[in-house]
Amino acid sequence: MINFIDFILESSFHPQKGESEVVHHVTTHDVDKFHPLTHFGTAQASRHVAKIRVLKDDDGSKKSKLQHHAVRIKLGKVAELHDISNHDPRRVSDALQKAGHITFPQSLEHTRQHIKIREHHEAKLKKKTEKEGWKPENMVACNHNIAHDMNKHIAKTLRKNVIHTIKYENTHEDPGSTSYMITHHSQVRHLRKSGSGVNINLDRKS
């Protein structure tokens, strides 16, 4: 297994400021295309997230299934926000509107879209529950799909306003560091072969 810190040192270089940044993300799988409003931050922030999200077997033993992705993102035009501890799309939309990056009518349209999206996915969940019975993983998937579709809608609005990236000062995973959210997968280039992450060994003491 590749050592997480060694890989960071080998992959971290500094592109010209303002054009692109080398950043990091933790997932549970390989990624070919990152979704709109995916978060990226420092190596330390991704390490912190990895420790929080560590998966465990039924007996409580740790699994090393999390993967670290080092990528370069093209920033384009940047909108700055304060860190939002809860990444609920509605809160992101509200923060963007308060900061003047989107208009009030656009924020209102996000609210309308959220209602439509939620009703759509909840109707699908109801049908699935009637067929299969109640399963908590289906509820988790439903909430994930609602957030994903809303993020796509918000990202589309931002790009319409010629905003490509959200930038914020991280106050949680690596306080004081800079984190980003992209609006389109084309902004991201993997520093390893496409979609491939590095397994993180969380049993290693650090």
Side-chain angles (χ1 to χ4, degrees):
M1 182 175 290
I2 299 176
N3 183 284
F4 180 89
I5 299 301
D6 289 346
F7 176 71
I8 298 302
L9 294 175
E10 292 172 4
S11 66
S12 295
F13 57 94
H14 302 282
Q16 292 183 5
K17 187 176 181 181
E19 295 183 356
S20 62
E21 292 288 346
V22 172
V23 288
H24 309 269
H25 183 78
V26 168
T27 68
T28 56
H29 51 278
D30 285 345
V31 178
D32 289 324
K33 294 181 180 180
F34 285 97
H35 297 310
L37 301 196
T38 295
H39 294 250
F40 298 90
T42 63
Q44 179 61 30
S46 66
R47 183 71 183 171
H48 180 86
V49 172
K51 289 181 177 180
I52 292 175
R53 294 181 58 185
V54 61
L55 304 181
K56 295 185 177 181
D57 285 316
D58 292 337
D59 61 2
S61 62
K62 293 180 180 178
K63 289 182 178 179
S64 298
K65 284 189 173 180
L66 292 176
Q67 291 192 16
H68 162 259
H69 297 265
V71 303
R72 181 198 287 265
I73 61 171
K74 185 177 180 180
L75 299 179
K77 186 176 178 181
V78 175
E80 295 195 29
L81 289 180
H82 294 295
D83 193 359
I84 302 174
S85 58
N86 183 333
H87 297 147
D88 183 287
R90 290 167 298 180
R91 295 191 62 182
V92 173
S93 178
D94 288 344
L96 287 166
Q97 191 266 319
K98 289 177 182 177
H101 299 304
I102 65 174
T103 65
F104 177 74
Q106 287 175 327
S107 179
L108 192 61
E109 178 59 22
H110 290 167
T111 300
R112 294 194 188 100
Q113 287 297 322
H114 181 265
I115 293 171
K116 291 180 181 179
I117 290 168
R118 186 186 64 204
E119 289 177 346
H120 169 72
H121 286 293
E122 287 181 348
K124 291 178 67 176
L125 174 63
K126 183 179 179 180
K127 289 182 179 179
K128 199 164 189 176
T129 300
E130 290 173 350
K131 183 178 180 180
E132 302 176 1
W134 170 253
K135 294 182 179 179
E137 58 267 29
N138 289 342
M139 172 60 83
V140 172
C142 175
N143 290 333
H144 172 80
N145 291 334
I146 292 171
H148 175 257
D149 286 356
M150 268 305 299
N151 284 340
K152 286 172 60 178
H153 190 76
I154 293 170
K156 184 177 180 180
T157 299
L158 288 172
R159 293 183 72 84
K160 187 176 181 180
N161 292 1
V162 198
I163 294 173
H164 307 94
T165 307
I166 295 174
K167 174 183 177 181
Y168 61 94
E169 181 179 323
N170 198 314
T171 59
H172 297 86
E173 293 82 15
D174 184 12
S177 67
T178 300
S179 292
Y180 302 91
M181 297 194 305
I182 61 168
T183 59
H184 196 268
H185 66 82
S186 63
Q187 294 175 252
V188 183
R189 181 171 67 83
H190 287 268
L191 296 186
R192 302 180 75 240
K193 70 177 183 178
S194 181
S196 183
V198 175
N199 289 330
I200 302 174
N201 184 357
L202 292 174
D203 293 316
R204 181 177 66 82
K205 294 182 179 180
S206 59

